[in-house]
Amino acid sequence: MNAGIVATGKFIPSKKINNLYVSKKTKLSKKEILKKTGIRTRYFVNTKETASLIAYNAAKQALKRSKINKNEIDLIICCTFVGDYQFPCLASKVHNLLGLKNAGAYDILANCTGFQIGISTAVEKIKNDKHVKNILVIGSAVQSPFLDWSSAENSMYFGDGSGAAIVSRVPKGYGMLSSEIICNSNAYEDVKLVGGGSLLPSNKYNFKNKKNFYYDMNGLETWKQVVQFQPKVIKRVLIKAKKSISDVDFFIFHQANKNLLNYLCSKLKIPKEKTYTNVEIYGNTADASLAIALNDAVQKKKIKKKSIVMVSGVGAGFIFGASLFRWF
């Protein structure tokens, strides 16, 4: 039994944030921001656009395109680090908004490669359980409340958004061909959000430690991690599938930083026409990044039936993932 992605969707929040806004907040010039990030705009949620609402809207679009009745969804997997609440999970709220009755629901926390892990988890579930036919996977991020505007590195890259995919049974020869996850926990401390965890719960918040309740990222170390380990996880996936990098028709990477994406493609000798970037428009949307980029590439017909597609991301921790598909 084979399984793969049969439809995608996305939702972008309403507040458009340009580099002039970021420049005023960070005291870094617009020219410097563009040079360092390759990002021109990003989008933030407004007061009514909750984490669950943007995830729900992305899910609705994917469901509509799939032509699968919502009551045929057997499971919802949300890939995120922040829902409406600490708990219950975001997937449970989306389940409620969609009005589902029999589907299961849970969240995955793997940050910016969460969506890739969610998709591979969904495929394996369908392949190993004859009673499961359709799974809704959502990558969603509301990062704007956690940005430290006193530090350009911890604020200028990030945006909010949500993307979704329907994973279903597909004919023999299509769907996911291989998948892999590796972790370099030595870099555990290099991208983090400490405040709100059990080591620093919210009742210990005060003026002196408020920075611990915002993003804290070591940009140089992140760059080193990506260029060292992402090629390794991609190679493992290709070996599993008995493919070479030249066999891949299209690559979808986590949209972290335009300069980093260009460097990664150069290192892997991937032609620019074989990948798609939208980090220039949406910024780094964390858990939603892969889902939104995949949706846009599909809608622009850059990915077609029978295409061999690699989806690969890197998340805090550091977690590296890649999945290879023959598109249906």
Side-chain angles (χ1 to χ4, degrees), residues 200-251:
L200 186 64
S202 55
N203 66 348
K204 292 187 177 180
Y205 173 89
N206 59 54
F207 182 78
K208 291 182 179 179
N209 70 16
K210 68 176 183 178
K211 279 186 175 290
N212 286 314
F213 289 81
Y214 297 139
Y215 272 22
D216 182 11
M217 181 179 74
N218 182 332
L220 179 59
E221 187 59 37
T222 299
W223 183 290
K224 290 178 180 177
Q225 290 295 313
V226 171
V227 299
Q228 183 179 356
F229 288 98
Q230 201 161 4
K232 287 184 180 180
V233 77
I234 288 169
K235 184 178 180 180
R236 287 193 190 187
V237 168
L238 291 170
I239 290 171
K240 274 187 177 181
K242 297 180 180 179
K243 301 286 185 185
S244 68
I245 204 155
S246 61
D247 292 324
V248 181
D249 297 307
F250 210 78
F251 294 82

Side-chain angles (χ1 to χ4, degrees), residues 48-101:
K48 294 181 179 179
E49 291 170 329
T50 60
S52 58
L53 181 65
I54 67 172
Y56 167 67
N57 284 329
K60 282 200 304 180
Q61 189 176 80
L63 278 167
K64 184 178 180 180
R65 288 173 178 162
S66 73
K67 299 181 181 178
I68 294 171
N69 187 290
K70 67 178 185 178
N71 293 316
E72 294 180 86
I73 295 296
D74 299 298
L75 177 65
I76 299 176
I77 301 173
C78 277
C79 312
T80 187
F81 80 93
V82 58
D84 292 353
Y85 305 149
Q86 279 280 73
F87 65 89
C89 69
L90 178 61
S92 181
K93 181 64 175 180
V94 176
H95 185 289
N96 177 266
L97 292 172
L98 287 170
L100 304 186
K101 295 179 180 178

